[in-house]
């Protein structure tokens, strides 16, 4: 394994019955910074993380963490990594302080060392005022911050963050993002799995896009957006009821690459020829469709995902949630 590579996999495979949750994944994650692992629920993100963290054995291929084979030398891997999963792993009946003190003692700290480390983490994660409250009284954002604090009582060389902001409000998500940035600034490599395209765009130095157990693209956010080879017109309607007509008009102008946004009043179209944009906007106005605003620029990661897979990340997530087997091995 090359110097400077935190994770390397070659033809990594994991099956559950007839389901190939991980289907020949090749990864090369450099040390330092945040590497984004982007895909909807059921794509294979969590299964890959569990293999790399030695919680699952691969059924094929090779996976190494800092040069240590996860199957042959799991103890060495475990000494270098930490994992924060999708759900709270702390004891809800204990206080935040008690959770961190307990972990410190279990990990071999003296009483004084555990107290000092606990105080440092509570302050760094903005939890000092809530230190004596039971965790079950914490908000979702506070729990996630405590989860991450618990995972770095001993600072790992590699931290797996598996969808750390799922279910959080925007303010709590931003707080978690700040924590991730602070960790990498101190030298920890972070492998971040997420189904939120804007999260990968905000945090990741490089991104691997995974769908149905396979890596379908890899690169920086800018490289992935450039790979689409077109710009994008984003339209925000005054009246969401006008969206079907707007989609029809823009489809006639730009072709089939027009789709609704997550906001009911949003429509986005991929544009190969920017000279068509003024005419399309004029047609919307002539048809009585009022716009609250519009923009033309580089495509978003959501549009990249659509171009690569033929569906949006939201559509893929919804499809995965209807498949019990897919959800079980995500």
């Amino acid at each position: 394994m090359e110097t400077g590579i935190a994770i390397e996999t070659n033809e990594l495979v994991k099956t559950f019955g007839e389901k190939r949750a991980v289907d020949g994944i090749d990864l090369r994650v450099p040390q330092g910074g945040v590497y984004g692992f982007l895909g909807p629920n059921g794509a294979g993100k969590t299964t890959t993380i569990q293999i790399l963290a030695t919680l699952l054995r691969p059924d094929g291929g090779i996976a190494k963490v800092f040069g240590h084979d996860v199957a042959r030398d799991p103890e060495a891997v475990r000494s270098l990594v930490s994992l924060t999963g999708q759900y709270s792993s702390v004891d809800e009946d204990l206080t935040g302080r008690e959770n961190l003190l307990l972990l410190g003692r279990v990990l071999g700290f003296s009483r004084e060392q555990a107290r000092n480390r606990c105080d440092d983490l509570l302050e760094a994660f903005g939890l000092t005022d809530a230190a004596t409250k039971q965790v079950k009284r914490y908000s979702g954002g506070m729990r996630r911050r405590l989860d991450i604090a618990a995972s770095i009582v001993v600072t790992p060389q590699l931290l797996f963050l598996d969808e750390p902001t799922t279910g959080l409000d925007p303010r709590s998500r931003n707080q978690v993002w700040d924590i991730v940035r602070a960790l990498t600034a101190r030298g920890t490599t972070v492998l971040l799995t997420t189904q939120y395209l804007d999260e990968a765009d905000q945090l990741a130095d490089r991104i691997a896009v995974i769908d149905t157990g396979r890596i379908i693209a890899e690169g920086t956010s800018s490289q992935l957006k450039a790979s689409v080879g077109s710009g994008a017109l984003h339209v925000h309607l005054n009246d969401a009821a006008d969206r079907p007509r707007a989609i029809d008009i823009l489809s006639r102008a730009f072709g089939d690459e027009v789709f609704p946004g997550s906001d009911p009043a949003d429509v986005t179209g991929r544009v190969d020829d920017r000279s068509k944009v003024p005419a399309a906007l004029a047609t919307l106005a002539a048809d009585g469709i009022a716009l609250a605003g519009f923009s033309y620029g580089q495509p978003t990661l959501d549009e990249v995902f659509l171009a690569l897979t033929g569906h949006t990340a939201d559509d893929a997530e919804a499809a995965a949630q209807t498949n019990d087997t897919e959800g079980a091995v995500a």
Side-chain angles (χ1 to χ4, degrees):
M1 181 169 170
E2 292 181 23
T3 301
I5 301 297
I7 297 170
E8 186 173 8
T9 71
N10 182 37
E11 290 295 317
L12 190 64
V13 173
K14 182 64 182 178
T15 60
F16 295 91
E18 296 182 358
K19 170 68 180 179
R20 289 173 73 91
V22 176
D23 191 10
I25 283 180
D26 295 329
L27 278 178
R28 288 170 58 80
V29 178
Q31 293 182 29
V34 179
Y35 191 92
F37 208 31
L38 173 64
N41 282 339
K45 304 186 304 294
T46 298
T47 301
T48 303
I49 290 292
Q50 289 175 335
I51 292 171
L52 294 171
T54 75
L55 299 178
L56 289 175
R57 288 185 64 87
D59 294 318
I62 297 172
K64 294 182 179 182
V65 173
F66 294 107
H68 301 283
D69 190 293
V70 299
R72 297 179 182 177
D73 199 4
E75 291 300 325
V77 173
R78 290 171 194 153
S79 71
L80 299 170
V81 307
S82 187
L83 167 65
T84 297
Q86 298 177 28
Y87 305 104
S88 179
S89 59
V90 292
D91 190 322
E92 293 195 342
D93 290 323
L94 298 179
T95 67
R97 178 180 296 279
E98 289 168 342
N99 269 285
L100 296 180
L101 285 173
L102 176 61
L103 282 168
R105 295 292 283 152
V106 167
L107 292 169
F109 287 24
S110 68
R111 290 183 185 276
E112 183 178 0
Q113 288 173 330
R115 281 197 300 270
N116 290 338
R117 183 59 174 161
C118 172
D119 290 342
D120 288 344
L121 289 170
L122 289 169
E123 182 178 357
F125 284 73
L127 293 170
T128 301
D129 290 342
T132 58
K133 292 182 181 179
Q134 287 179 298
V135 173
K136 61 187 175 184
R137 303 182 189 279
Y138 281 18
S139 67
M142 291 166 66
R143 291 186 189 207
R144 296 309 286 151
R145 281 183 276 154
L146 183 64
D147 262 342
I148 298 173
S151 69
I152 62 168
V153 170
V154 174
T155 304
Q157 291 189 40
L158 172 62
L159 176 62
F160 298 110
L161 286 181
D162 189 12
E163 302 195 17
T165 62
T166 296
L168 297 186
D169 60 80
R171 180 173 177 272
S172 296
R173 287 181 70 196
N174 284 330
Q175 290 175 335
V176 172
W177 290 358
D178 288 341
I179 290 168
V180 173
R181 295 183 182 107
L183 286 170
T184 58
R186 296 171 186 167
T188 296
T189 302
V190 174
L191 181 61
L192 171 74
T193 74
T194 181
Q195 58 186 299
Y196 299 129
L197 298 124
D198 62 326
E199 186 160 82
D201 213 0
Q202 285 281 337
L203 294 176
D205 303 298
R206 294 187 70 82
I207 300 168
V209 181
I210 182 172
D211 194 32
T212 62
R214 298 181 179 181
I215 301 294
I216 57 175
E218 198 272 347
T220 66
S221 176
S222 296
Q223 287 170 339
L224 292 176
K225 291 174 183 177
S227 72
V228 174
S230 63
L233 175 66
H234 307 281
V235 172
H236 186 66
L237 307 172
N238 266 347
D239 187 349
D242 289 334
R243 187 157 78 171
R245 286 193 298 137
I247 290 175
D248 180 62
I249 290 170
L250 294 178
S251 295
R252 282 187 268 119
F254 305 134
D256 294 332
E257 302 295 336
V258 176
F259 58 95
S262 55
D263 186 306
D266 284 352
V267 180
T268 296
R270 286 179 56 202
V271 183
D272 292 322
D273 182 357
R274 69 176 62 191
S275 67
K276 296 179 180 179
V277 171
L281 294 173
T283 303
L284 289 172
D287 205 52
I289 298 175
L291 304 183
F294 68 90
S295 64
Y296 175 81
Q298 193 177 46
T300 66
L301 280 182
D302 206 357
E303 290 145 25
V304 172
F305 196 91
L306 174 69
L308 292 170
T309 67
H311 52 74
T312 67
D314 288 341
D315 290 341
E317 180 187 351
Q321 290 174 341
T322 65
N323 186 316
D324 291 339
T325 302
E326 183 85 348
V329 299

